[in-house]
Amino acid sequence: MAQAGSFVPAAEAEVGLVDRIFSRVGASDNLARGQSTFLVEMIETANILNNATVRSIILLDEVGRGTSTFDGLSIAWSVAEYLHDTPAVAARTLFATHYHEMIELAILKPRVCNLTMAVREWNDTIVFLRRVLEGAADRSYGIHVARLAGLPREVIERAREVLANLEREELSKDGRPKLAGAAGPAAGGVTPAPAQLGLFAPAEDPILAAVREARIDQMTPIEALNFLADLKKRLLP
């Protein structure tokens, strides 16, 4: 804004010169050319990554949301890492996303900073306070927005049940987001625990889970024998 001669609504600001502004915002397709919404998004993202410089400003909004969750998260994570780690493209970037796993980049990458909009819940509604705070949102508010849009009450209640089930599987055994274990050392030299599971790690073996959760010291002899027999039956059907 200052470079273009516009008014800057700030008491003071120190901003370097900008050669270009790139943005990847919104959803649109080009069906006449056989390009889906996601393909258009990827073409625009590719143009940014191939042409931005350290003097550029990049605005990315919800990269990866047009495909499956794992595909989209993988692409978004990789794009953010590329912008951070590639010296020729290490531009000033605002990267808006609902992939909560990506907040771990602030732990793993020294120049990444998480910012979030202040939100307050009141009487089962949400109020956006129009303030930007350092840190990350603890969750998204898509179900609230769906309710405001008029989705049937049964749909909203079922969505909350499904969300609760998904969130129970989001964390590893030590309470950390599962994606953290798949990345390298954190900034400051803190390395995630070796036993940390990655987001794409297979689910824990049910036999091991049963043994881990069993309270052997509280079992009667017959209960212990039955437990052992059940394990043998599951291992050797």
Side-chain angles (χ1 to χ4, degrees), residues 58-190:
I58 300 175
L59 309 175
L60 295 175
D61 180 50
E62 301 294 359
V63 169
R65 300 297 286 186
T67 184
S68 70
T69 301
F70 281 4
D71 278 0
L73 173 55
S74 301
I75 293 170
W77 184 285
S78 184
V79 167
E81 282 191 335
Y82 182 83
L83 289 170
H84 182 280
D85 296 342
T86 307
V89 199
R92 286 160 288 182
T93 303
L94 293 177
F95 197 125
T97 182
H98 276 86
Y99 291 131
H100 291 279
E101 294 85 353
M102 291 188 65
I103 65 176
E104 296 179 47
L105 282 168
I107 302 173
L108 304 169
K109 302 295 180 180
R111 297 193 308 279
V112 175
C113 175
N114 288 322
L115 299 173
T116 185
M117 296 297 296
V119 178
R120 177 169 297 172
E121 295 187 47
W122 181 72
N123 285 349
D124 200 32
T125 62
I126 55 173
V127 179
F128 292 96
L129 302 182
R130 301 182 185 276
R131 288 190 292 117
V132 178
L133 305 176
E134 187 171 354
D138 58 349
R139 60 192 180 92
S140 297
Y141 294 92
I143 293 179
H144 285 275
V145 175
R147 184 180 60 80
L148 291 173
L151 263 64
R153 179 177 57 82
E154 295 82 358
V155 173
I156 298 300
E157 291 179 354
R158 178 56 181 156
R160 286 172 174 161
E161 292 175 357
V162 174
L163 177 62
N165 291 335
L166 292 172
E167 288 177 339
R168 277 196 292 269
E169 301 298 326
E170 184 179 2
L171 303 180
S172 63
K173 291 178 290 185
D174 60 357
R176 287 173 54 85
K178 290 185 176 180
L179 191 59
V190 180

Side-chain angles (χ1 to χ4, degrees), residues 209-232:
V211 172
R212 181 176 289 107
E213 297 172 2
R215 298 183 178 181
I216 305 296
D217 56 333
Q218 298 182 12
M219 291 183 180
T220 64
I222 188 63
E223 288 174 339
L225 288 173
N226 288 336
F227 177 71
L228 183 60
D230 179 64
L231 290 180
K232 182 177 179 181

Side-chain angles (χ1 to χ4, degrees), residues 6-29:
S6 301
F7 169 71
V8 179
E12 61 177 318
E14 183 175 344
V15 183
L17 294 177
V18 176
D19 58 6
R20 282 169 290 184
I21 297 176
F22 294 93
S23 67
R24 156 85 287 280
V25 178
S28 61
D29 55 44

